[in-house]
Amino acid sequence: MSLTAKEAFAKLPQKLHTFFIKHPPRPLAQYATTPSTISDPQKNPFLPNKNEESGKWHAAKYSLRRSADLYKMALKYGLAELLPPIPHKKFHEERYNDKKWMRGLLFQKKRKWERELPTKLEQRRVAMENMDETILKARPAYKKQIARREEKKRTWF
Amino acid sequence: MAAKKATHTMVKLVSAAKTGYEKWFNIPRAHSKLNLILYDPRAQRHCLFTESKKRKTQENKKKDYSKSHRV
């Protein structure tokens, strides 16, 4: 024998049960995805809403902790889609996969020497490559040394 | 009275291979600019070493081979 909708609703945990009484589930009631006014019938209880007369903001009816608790409970019962949307939070796999990494972690500044190291090594490599030419500029007679080196070079293997 | 200038100076020669290898020499003050070919162990070959700091040197006057001074 299967439960009727009413019977199933009665069996829900206290928190979810009272929440759905105060804030009807999604297909029956619409909720805003952005903060709106306190007089708005579609205001989201998980988001702050503004009092347009005084210009002051009312805090969310459910704190981040309580809203997360409700969402996770609803997920367990497969009722997550029935809750009002929580656009500013991610849960479980979504939170792990679509993580927002810190900019400083992705584009590390590094220390000054670490930033300058590639150019330093490149300069060193170029200087080594052109060493014979630099010596020749200062000592034209170095040609003989170079010739002697080429003579002594091993060409067989 | 000002201090008398010493006869010799210490000069630092730096490798042109930019390895940071240096050599110091104690040379006569008026000596011309030094550039020597010495072994750089970090580059593992002989490299040109030039002075790192500017200093006053006695420029070698070119010999005058014209006979204009003769009477």
Side-chain angles (χ1 to χ4, degrees), chain A residues 123-124 127-128 131-132 134-135 138-139 142 149, chain B residues 16-19 35-37 43 45-48:
Chain A
Q123 279 173 355
R124 203 179 283 180
M128 278 295 287
M131 185 46 67
D132 283 340
T134 43
I135 297 175
R139 303 282 181 84
Y142 192 69
R149 203 205 302 157
Chain B
K18 299 193 183 173
T19 53
N35 53 23
L36 307 170
I37 299 168
R45 61 159 289 167
H46 273 71
C47 301
L48 186 71

Side-chain angles (χ1 to χ4, degrees), chain A residues 68-122:
Chain A
D69 197 33
L70 278 168
Y71 185 86
K72 285 170 184 171
M73 209 182 289
L75 255 185
K76 262 190 174 175
Y77 287 86
L79 307 171
E81 302 299 317
L82 271 52
L83 280 177
I86 310 174
H88 51 292
K89 281 212 79 91
K90 286 187 213 158
F91 299 92
H92 306 321
E93 273 103 355
E94 212 189 333
R95 183 186 166 96
Y96 181 80
N97 293 329
D98 306 341
K99 187 175 174 138
K100 188 185 179 189
W101 295 98
M102 283 195 282
R103 210 181 310 139
L105 196 65
L106 295 174
F107 310 105
Q108 299 200 343
K109 187 172 182 177
K110 299 195 226 177
R111 296 306 175 105
K112 194 173 169 104
W113 66 266
E114 284 177 298
R115 279 179 264 143
E116 289 173 354
L117 191 61
T119 43
K120 186 180 180 182
L121 293 175
E122 179 61 23

